[in-house]
Amino acid sequence: MSQSAPFSAYAAPNSPVSARISLQPGRGNLLDELMAMGAFVIMPLGFPMAQPLRLPFTILLILWLGMNWRSILPVVRKGWPLFVLPVLCLLSALWADNMMVAIRYGALFSLAMLFAAGVASRLDARQVAVAIVCGQGMLAVASALTGTREWIGGADGGFALIGVFPHKNILAQHMVILSIAALSVTLSSQCRPVLRLLSACILAVALGLIAQALSATAILLLAGAIPLGLGLVLIWRPAVHIRGLRPALVLGGIAVMTFGLLVLTNFYGVNLIEDTLGAFGKDQSLTGRTVIWAAGNEAISKHPLLGVGAGNFWLADNFTAVRLADQFYSSDGQFRFHNAYYETTVHLGLIGLLAAIYTYVRGGMLTFGSWWRNQERADIFFLLIVVVLLIRSFTESELFYALALGPMLFWTAAFTSLMEKPSQGRPAIS
């Protein structure tokens, strides 16, 4: 049975005691796992029910970071270029109309990044996936039991499930991440059998919630992510033992997709974009996103280089922001540009956009490189999460949020991959 790639000497070493009192044997201990689980549930701002716990837990989180500063400092030192976005958010206070909003945004962003570095120094990919399954799994079960729904308008309107979340899209975002985590744990033979069984059950619950949430984006993402994960584990990894099979699989896949696209477009007259959107009740404006992006272009033209300052666009005294929130029926008056690059450019200008592209590309390459070296079954968790978030960055602003579940995992994947040593030899089959 293969083991995950060794980490640098900076990472916290295992001990027989920590292995016995942990949810999943690996690095760190039960306290580290519980802190990760709690942070992934309590810290994301998209889960308002955790608001009363957020301040005391933040204090505990800072204490935990302080306790483990010796293992965290080398991660921060090696991955310091990834901190360019929170640093720019803090610096934007110098030109923002509301200085305190920019400072708060930058401080929360920095805390999320430090937490990701802390998790990377204490836990491995398998333990992080288990923490997501346990923490987000409780929210999934609670959502299924409450069955709370909200009416969504439009020609194909209906009642969408929101569960314990404030909006169906937030539920869908969390359930996509939970589904990927549950799939990776279920497929990993190095996870405890009880956790694999639990993950399989949670995966079924999460998929059912996504279907009831009527989220086209989530359904499309999982329609690609789940077959990709299964293919990487069940086909790609075993193919390493047959010379030439992997290139043949790649070329064969490209040939099949190309032939299928030609048949659909030339012989059946299918318009892939229009027909796919129509199948999910969407229009060419991507549910009004083109209107939002037009407003973003106008805001960028006024402050092209440095932006308006972190968090300074979506304020109650900004007429354009209030108008957009009202136009799209935002119940709490808060809104986003539904595109991470528009969101970044409006707030931090073209300088911030370049910084964001650099960090997203670097984080993606680090994660892909880690998976390519090791190709463990649990490694598909970070890989699929990063792929999904980068695809979703074109239709959601999530990656630029100060505190959200997706970005916290994105940076955790990047820092974890950054601290790995190259695996020796070919990956073995678990």
Side-chain angles (χ1 to χ4, degrees):
M1 183 178 295
S2 65
Q3 298 295 323
S4 58
F7 279 67
S8 70
Y10 302 127
N14 250 345
S15 69
V17 175
S18 68
R20 288 197 299 269
I21 55 172
S22 62
L23 296 174
Q24 169 61 38
R27 300 184 296 123
N29 52 44
L30 181 61
L31 174 62
D32 302 321
E33 292 173 322
L34 292 177
M35 288 301 299
M37 187 191 311
F40 289 135
V41 171
I42 297 172
M43 298 306 291
L45 299 179
F47 185 51
M49 290 183 64
Q51 179 63 35
L53 300 175
R54 198 160 286 136
L55 179 58
F57 186 83
T58 300
I59 297 173
L60 287 177
L61 185 62
I62 293 173
L63 291 175
W64 177 75
L65 293 173
M67 288 169 51
N68 297 291
W69 70 271
R70 286 186 177 86
S71 61
I72 297 173
L73 183 59
V75 182
V76 174
R77 184 186 299 130
K78 194 170 183 179
W80 68 265
L82 296 175
F83 282 85
V84 62
L85 276 180
V87 169
L88 278 176
C89 289
L90 290 170
L91 289 177
S92 70
L94 298 175
W95 60 83
D97 289 337
N98 193 320
M99 179 184 296
M100 294 308 300
V101 169
I103 292 175
R104 178 179 180 273
Y105 203 98
L108 292 177
F109 208 147
S110 300
L111 177 62
M113 296 282 283
L114 286 173
F115 163 73
V119 173
S121 73
R122 303 293 299 174
L123 305 176
D124 59 29
R126 191 178 300 107
Q127 291 172 301
V128 176
V130 169
I132 292 293
V133 168
C134 294
Q136 296 297 316
M138 290 188 291
L139 300 184
V141 172
S143 295
L145 292 177
T146 60
T148 306
R149 298 175 182 271
E150 68 174 358
W151 172 260
I152 56 173
D156 300 311
F159 284 97
L161 183 74
I162 63 172
V164 297
F165 295 90
H167 192 270
K168 74 179 187 71
N169 289 339
I170 298 179
L171 177 141
Q173 290 172 5
H174 282 243
M175 292 305 104
V176 166
I177 292 173
L178 174 59
S179 298
I180 293 173
L183 176 68
S184 67
V185 174
T186 301
L187 294 176
S188 178
S189 59
Q190 295 180 10
C191 287
R192 287 173 168 162
V194 65
L195 291 175
R196 298 179 68 183
L197 177 60
L198 173 65
S199 297
C201 297
I202 291 295
L203 175 60
V205 174
L207 293 177
L209 293 177
I210 289 174
Q212 295 181 70
L214 306 179
S215 175
T217 303
I219 293 173
L220 288 173
L221 287 173
L222 284 182
I226 290 180
L228 176 61
L230 291 172
L232 291 176
V233 169
L234 303 179
I235 299 175
W236 182 259
R237 291 182 71 251
V240 72
H241 297 294
I242 303 176
R243 184 180 298 275
L245 181 56
R246 282 184 166 182
L249 288 173
V250 173
L251 293 175
I254 294 174
V256 169
M257 288 189 293
T258 302
F259 179 75
L261 291 174
L262 289 175
V263 170
L264 289 174
T265 55
N266 293 335
F267 291 94
Y268 292 96
V270 173
N271 186 311
L272 291 177
I273 296 178
E274 290 184 2
D275 292 345
T276 301
L277 291 174
F280 288 94
K282 306 294 183 181
D283 54 34
Q284 288 285 0
S285 71
L286 297 175
T287 319
R289 281 176 171 82
T290 54
V291 176
I292 305 168
W293 296 340
N297 286 329
E298 182 180 351
I300 292 169
S301 66
K302 297 177 181 178
H303 305 274
L305 192 60
L306 298 175
V308 299
N312 269 248
F313 184 84
W314 303 107
L315 296 178
D317 58 356
N318 186 338
F319 172 77
T320 304
V322 174
R323 177 176 58 82
L324 284 173
D326 291 341
Q327 183 177 352
F328 289 93
Y329 307 103
S330 176
S331 58
D332 57 1
Q334 299 296 312
F335 206 56
R336 294 289 186 268
F337 282 105
H338 291 277
N339 180 291
Y341 309 98
Y342 271 107
E343 198 78 46
T344 304
T345 311
V346 168
H347 290 97
L348 299 180
L350 295 176
I351 293 177
L353 176 62
L354 292 175
I357 292 174
Y358 165 75
T359 53
Y360 299 160
V361 171
R362 180 165 174 76
M365 291 179 64
L366 286 170
T367 305
F368 177 80
S370 173
W371 169 81
W372 183 259
R373 290 191 299 269
N374 308 316
Q375 298 185 32
E376 295 287 346
R377 294 188 178 188
D379 289 340
I380 65 168
F381 170 59
F382 279 153
L383 178 67
L384 294 181
I385 287 294
V386 167
V387 169
V388 164
L389 288 174
L390 288 177
I391 293 174
R392 198 160 65 189
S393 67
F394 293 97
T395 57
E396 297 293 343
S397 302
E398 187 178 9
L399 273 181
F400 187 66
Y401 289 1
L403 281 175
L405 179 60
M408 291 167 70
L409 286 171
F410 183 92
W411 304 121
T412 300
F415 284 124
T416 302
S417 304
L418 188 67
M419 299 306 294
E420 273 191 330
K421 286 183 177 179
S423 181
Q424 300 297 322
R426 286 185 174 183
I429 304 301
S430 296

